[in-house]
Amino acid sequence: MKRVKEIMKRIFFLPPIPTVVISVPAFILVFVMLGTGSSSVLAYISYLLSAYAMVITVTGFKGVARAVRNGIENLPPVIKLRSTPLGKRLLGDVIFRSEITLHGGLCMNLLYTALNLFSGIRYRSTWFIALAFYYMLLSVMRAVLVRYVHSRPIGEDISSELRHYRVCGIILLFMNQALVGIVVAMVTQNRGFSYSGLLIYMMALYTFYITIAAVVNVVKFRKHGSPILSAAKVISLTAALVSMLSLATAMLAQFGQDDEEEFRRIMIGAFGGAVCAVVLAMAIYMIVRSTKQLRK
């Protein structure tokens, strides 16, 4: 049994360099095969390789990220930046970096809200209105957290942080209704996101990255004991899940056949329902957990 475990570890838990060398070409190959619509032996081999690449990417992500971080930290511009007070705080203070990311996310969400609201009014589209409502609630959650970090240091008042954490969970419940509306619009109106040309492959890599990073951060930031930071990472995970949903609809539209409309509706409904269920579970967990902690 021990011998089997060692063999499995050598196969599926690779060092950073072999992980990158195998995964990147495998993903490129499967995207090329999907784009050409080939059904040859090479196409099936590429599917198997991509499945293996996905496994070693998940198991080796932490090692690759650590290797990349160590390599970046040794670059001359980074060393020079670290020598400055602001650069040292930005690169070495996780909480300060999370606060900066929170402000940037709020600005982007407000921009998306305005764009989708304008499009919804101009084209009288419930699709864009639902997207605007989703990004508006996302902006409200980030604004609640931004307002808190401006009022007092993180980790100083855990009771107050728990109350803000619970407010974010309640807003997440309403956000889930917007997600349900988006999924219903996708299924009934046969609507979805679309990316042209090579952009869909870039979005796929970006979406997988932000989703894996969001899951890792949700787990990692629980160790800091700050409900505010945990809420910020849950918001990022919610945004990443919606990005996965948009990628799924784009992939179905890009690589699906014209006569597979009913199949696309079923897949979008199933995947969208799963995303809504996960968001609902996170919202309930945030409310229940914060309420129990406050009672203590």
Side-chain angles (χ1 to χ4, degrees):
M1 188 65 182
K2 186 177 180 180
R3 179 63 177 171
V4 174
K5 288 183 178 180
E6 291 179 357
I7 294 174
M8 296 296 289
K9 187 175 181 179
R10 290 182 180 180
I11 294 175
F12 295 109
F13 292 83
L14 303 182
I17 293 179
T19 299
V20 174
V21 170
I22 295 174
S23 298
V24 173
F27 288 139
I28 293 176
L29 179 61
V30 75
F31 284 142
V32 171
M33 291 295 104
L34 288 172
T36 58
S38 173
S39 58
S40 62
V41 175
L42 181 60
Y44 291 105
I45 293 175
S46 70
Y47 299 151
L48 293 175
L49 283 176
S50 66
Y52 176 66
M54 180 60 68
V55 173
I56 63 174
T57 298
V58 173
T59 58
F61 177 78
K62 186 176 181 180
V64 172
R66 186 186 298 112
V68 171
R69 184 173 64 251
N70 292 336
I72 292 176
E73 288 180 351
N74 293 324
L75 293 175
V78 177
I79 296 175
K80 186 175 181 180
L81 179 63
R82 192 181 289 276
S83 64
T84 64
L86 179 61
K88 183 178 180 180
R89 189 179 182 193
L90 182 63
L91 296 176
D93 191 338
V94 176
I95 294 177
F96 177 71
R97 192 163 58 246
S98 298
E99 293 176 1
I100 297 296
T101 304
L102 194 59
H103 284 75
L106 175 60
C107 294
M108 291 301 297
N109 291 153
L110 289 172
L111 177 61
Y112 281 134
T113 301
L115 289 175
N116 285 288
L117 185 61
F118 172 78
S119 300
I121 296 173
R122 178 178 176 83
Y123 300 109
R124 298 179 181 178
S125 171
T126 56
W127 166 258
F128 287 114
I129 294 295
L131 285 174
F133 186 56
Y134 160 75
Y135 284 112
M136 181 186 70
L137 292 176
L138 203 63
S139 301
V140 169
M141 279 203 297
R142 291 189 188 276
V144 168
L145 301 182
V146 167
R147 183 176 179 273
Y148 181 88
V149 299
H150 279 288
S151 63
R152 68 194 69 183
I154 290 178
E156 183 181 83
D157 188 349
I158 298 299
S159 296
S160 180
E161 290 193 26
L162 284 169
R163 286 191 288 271
H164 284 75
Y165 184 80
R166 183 167 58 183
V167 168
C168 289
I170 294 171
I171 297 174
L172 203 60
L173 281 178
F174 289 99
M175 180 186 292
N176 198 52
Q177 304 308 309
L179 286 178
V180 171
I182 292 171
V183 173
V184 170
M186 285 179 176
V187 175
T188 58
Q189 301 178 15
N190 196 25
R191 295 292 300 269
F193 299 86
S194 61
Y195 307 107
S196 59
L198 294 175
L199 182 60
I200 191 171
Y201 305 120
M202 297 173 62
M203 288 304 301
L205 293 175
Y206 172 74
T207 301
F208 281 117
Y209 167 75
I210 63 172
T211 303
I212 294 173
V215 173
V216 171
N217 284 331
V218 166
V219 176
K220 183 174 69 174
F221 275 83
R222 290 188 62 185
K223 299 177 182 178
H224 289 273
S226 171
I228 290 293
L229 292 180
S230 295
K233 300 312 172 184
V234 168
I235 294 172
S236 298
L237 179 57
T238 303
L241 289 175
V242 176
S243 296
M244 287 293 291
L245 176 60
S246 65
L247 177 64
T249 60
M251 295 286 282
L252 288 170
Q254 181 84 1
F255 304 113
Q257 302 296 327
D258 294 335
D259 58 347
E260 295 179 349
E261 180 176 327
E262 188 63 28
F263 173 75
R264 287 199 299 270
R265 290 177 185 270
I266 294 173
M267 291 301 296
I268 291 173
F271 194 83
V275 170
C276 292
V278 172
V279 173
L280 178 62
M282 289 193 298
I284 294 174
Y285 173 79
M286 292 175 71
I287 296 171
V288 172
R289 177 173 178 261
S290 58
T291 301
K292 286 183 177 180
Q293 293 293 326
L294 284 169
R295 286 176 179 173
K296 291 182 180 179

